[in-house]
Amino acid sequence: MQAGTQKIVVLGTGGTIAGLAQGAAPGRYRAAQKPVDELLAGVVVPPGVTVQVEQVAQIDSKDMDLAVWQALLKACRVHLAQADVQGLVITHGTDTLEETAWLLQALLAPRQSVVLTCAMRPADAPDADGPRNLADALAVAADPKAQGVLAVCAGRILGAQSVQKLHSSRLDAFGSGEAGDMGRVRQGQVQWLRACVVPAPLASVEAVLAASALPRVEIVLSHAAASGAHLDALVDPDTAARHGVAPVRGLVLAGTGGGTLHHEIEAAARRAQAAGVRIVRTTRCADGWLQPRAGDEFPALPLSPVKARLALMLDLLGR
Ligand code: ASP
């Protein structure tokens, strides 16, 4: 593609990157206030690139839901189908960025770049980190080696499969654990540490767009001095009916260490499985994924609990 003909579309969804402290209680801020076109004011755009913006949503990503994901999936699909679009940048809250990144990767598996970025400080902070992150995300999206869904924060490029928010307040809040960073951005220059690999899509985007709800999957954490009572209550169809919610179709057991379960949780999970609830296992450890092994009573997924939940939801949606 000729220089000057590449387009990057920036999709705004809210988050702290669009947050404002002005008007909020002292020491606080409100996420998702500033429109995405205003976030780009003064941000350096890579040479030869034009930027188009679209406000897809304006939410605090702690409240991410199916409707916003559907709107985002539709917008991504429309823009990625344009021949002159080199890549997309999505401004997003940090809280659930890793879930959106994984979902987009699993459903779109884009050959172009889709780069999520964010901030830990609101847009009107004197030392706001959003403009730098946005400039870095544009540089990555414009890089010919960028492919698939990536996250860019604090000069680090992270893959959708492994990115996780690991710190509640640091500017450098994300990591990829032993999977390692994909690369970094220094003074606007992209340096790759490994090649982008885009796996095949895991599920049909059409099925997600057509769904009025995703199959209900809950996460149960195993810990010391546990009981199986909450797990029994979770999967009880009468309890679900009383609360006017769908019955649980799947459970992610976030086990200790190598995916081990307290014996009370294990017994309750066995009862749920016998009642037809799909069960998968992962680890509550922030790093080191479980390796699936043939013959496991509760199959292991090499994903964090929140991503394993999405994987199970997508799998159940197809059944
Ligand atoms: N609660 C905010 C959000 O996820 C946090 C952030 O963006 O840093 O939208």
Side-chain angles (χ1 to χ4, degrees), residues 251-254 258-259 261 273 277-283 290-303 308 312 315:
L251 287 176
V252 174
L253 305 178
L261 302 169
Q273 188 159 263
V277 175
R278 278 275 303 281
I279 313 240
V280 297
R281 213 164 32 90
T282 178
T283 175
L290 298 192
Q291 285 312 316
R293 273 189 318 214
D296 274 353
E297 182 177 20
F298 307 123
L301 286 184
L303 291 168
L312 185 51
D315 195 48

Side-chain angles (χ1 to χ4, degrees), residues 14-17 29 31 59-62 92-96 118-120 165:
T16 297
I17 191 168
Y29 69 92
I59 63 159
D60 185 322
S61 82
K62 73 180 176 58
H92 199 290
T94 59
D95 288 342
T96 58
C118 56
M120 292 296 285
K165 187 172 179 181

Side-chain angles (χ1 to χ4, degrees), residues 230-240 247-248 250-251 268 271-272 275 277:
H230 63 313
L231 198 155
D232 286 335
L234 258 182
V235 300
D236 175 23
D238 296 335
T239 307
V248 166
L251 287 176
R271 290 192 287 277
V277 175

